[in-house]
Amino acid sequence: MNRRPWGLALVTATYVLWSLLPVAIAVLFSFNAGRSRSTWQGFSTRWYWGDPYASVAHDPSLLTALRNSFILAVLTILVATPIGVGLAIGLTRWRGRTASAANGVLLLPLITPELVVGTALFLVVTNLYTFLHLGRPAQLIGHVTFSLSYVVIVVRGRLISIGPDLEEAARDLGASRLTALRLVVLPLLRPAVFAAAVLVFATSIDDFVVSSLLSSGASTETVPVKIYGSVRGGATPALNALATITLVASLAALVVAFAVMRAMRRRQGDTEA
């Protein structure tokens, strides 16, 4: 008779509650009717759009931070995803000591503390690449730098699981290397590309260190930087509302990616049947 792992279930439930409870409290107080962030004073959407001065919809600084975060995250996806896919394909086919060294360099952003990466990028931008001014261009370069590793790892895992057999079969049937890549390999990589893009979006929109160090001022502040700078002053539940909007956007991206990948797998299954 198998016994249920009650101890493991208890530890898992405790961890989930410990992780999600602060987030749930922060979301709850974004709907607080009063200015308190610790005492519940009734339900209201005041801090989203109701307050004509302090709500997210009417505070220019909060709107600017929200806009900057989304623009930076989308631009990072558009730049990092295709470059990462190309690197993954190239590194998968590349053999030799140089390829191993390139793989090691590519993994450095994952194991290097983000503060070190951000400081190095700041010094490079301000002392070496002086034509690249602080602000959104520098932030974009920084986000692409640490996001490429995630794209390469996800896409390479998919490439290894696919194997070279299908591409070689297409080449045997007369397809050129480029045609086989376009008609065989890339369609099979779509689920991994979508997953990598969502991971890049979530990582970029949540980043604080690189965004803060490469910011040029209030006009290029992102949501994490804005929250950190405002929480020590006269913080209101509008900051909770701002964080909630970012959280909902990240969850929506995950749901959309899950739905798209599920539809692709279902279509692939129908095709094989």
Side-chain angles (χ1 to χ4, degrees):
M1 182 177 179
N2 295 328
R3 299 178 60 183
R4 294 183 178 181
W6 295 109
L8 181 60
L10 179 61
V11 172
T12 303
T14 303
Y15 170 75
V16 171
L17 289 176
W18 177 264
S19 302
L20 296 183
L21 187 60
V23 178
I25 293 175
V27 173
L28 175 65
F29 277 93
S30 69
F31 296 98
N32 196 12
R35 298 180 65 88
S36 175
R37 302 174 68 197
S38 58
T39 303
W40 182 251
Q41 297 168 297
F43 181 86
S44 174
T45 58
R46 168 187 178 184
W47 304 108
Y48 287 90
W49 59 77
D51 195 299
Y53 302 103
S55 64
V56 175
H58 295 92
D59 190 331
S61 64
L62 298 183
L63 285 176
T64 299
L66 189 63
R67 187 184 305 111
N68 288 337
S69 288
F70 282 112
I71 292 176
L72 189 58
V74 172
L75 290 177
T76 304
I77 290 175
L78 295 178
V79 176
T81 304
I83 296 177
V85 172
L87 282 173
I89 295 174
L91 291 175
T92 302
R93 298 176 176 179
W94 194 10
R95 295 292 184 269
R97 295 182 179 178
T98 308
S100 300
N103 286 324
V105 171
L106 192 64
L107 295 177
L108 281 179
L110 295 179
I111 61 177
T112 305
E114 190 177 3
L115 183 60
V116 176
V117 175
T119 304
L121 288 170
F122 174 78
L123 294 175
V124 167
V125 170
T126 55
N127 295 293
L128 184 59
Y129 300 145
T130 54
F131 62 90
L132 187 63
H133 301 290
L134 293 176
R136 185 171 295 164
Q139 289 174 325
L140 177 61
I141 296 297
H143 282 221
V144 170
T145 299
F146 68 74
S147 297
L148 275 176
S149 300
Y150 297 102
V151 180
V152 174
I153 289 174
V154 173
V155 176
R156 282 195 68 184
R158 177 63 173 169
L159 279 170
I160 293 173
S161 66
I162 292 173
D165 296 341
L166 294 176
E167 185 179 1
E168 292 175 357
R171 294 291 305 278
D172 291 339
L173 293 174
S176 63
R177 186 180 296 274
L178 182 61
T179 302
L181 178 65
R182 180 171 58 90
L183 298 180
V184 177
V185 177
L186 290 181
L188 294 174
L189 289 179
R190 286 176 185 171
V193 173
F194 272 103
V198 172
L199 185 59
V200 168
F201 177 84
T203 305
S204 175
I205 205 170
D206 185 55
D207 178 76
F208 168 75
V209 176
V210 174
S211 299
S212 176
L213 288 173
L214 300 181
S215 175
S216 61
S219 61
T220 57
E221 285 184 341
T222 59
V223 170
V225 178
K226 179 64 178 178
I227 292 176
Y228 178 80
S230 302
V231 74
R232 296 185 178 184
T236 66
L239 295 179
N240 296 54
L242 184 64
T244 301
I245 294 173
T246 307
L247 174 65
V248 171
S250 300
L251 293 178
L254 291 174
V255 171
V256 170
F258 176 79
V260 170
M261 287 189 293
R262 186 175 182 181
M264 286 182 178
R265 291 174 181 173
R266 185 178 301 175
R267 184 181 302 175
Q268 183 179 355
D270 295 340
T271 302
E272 291 177 354

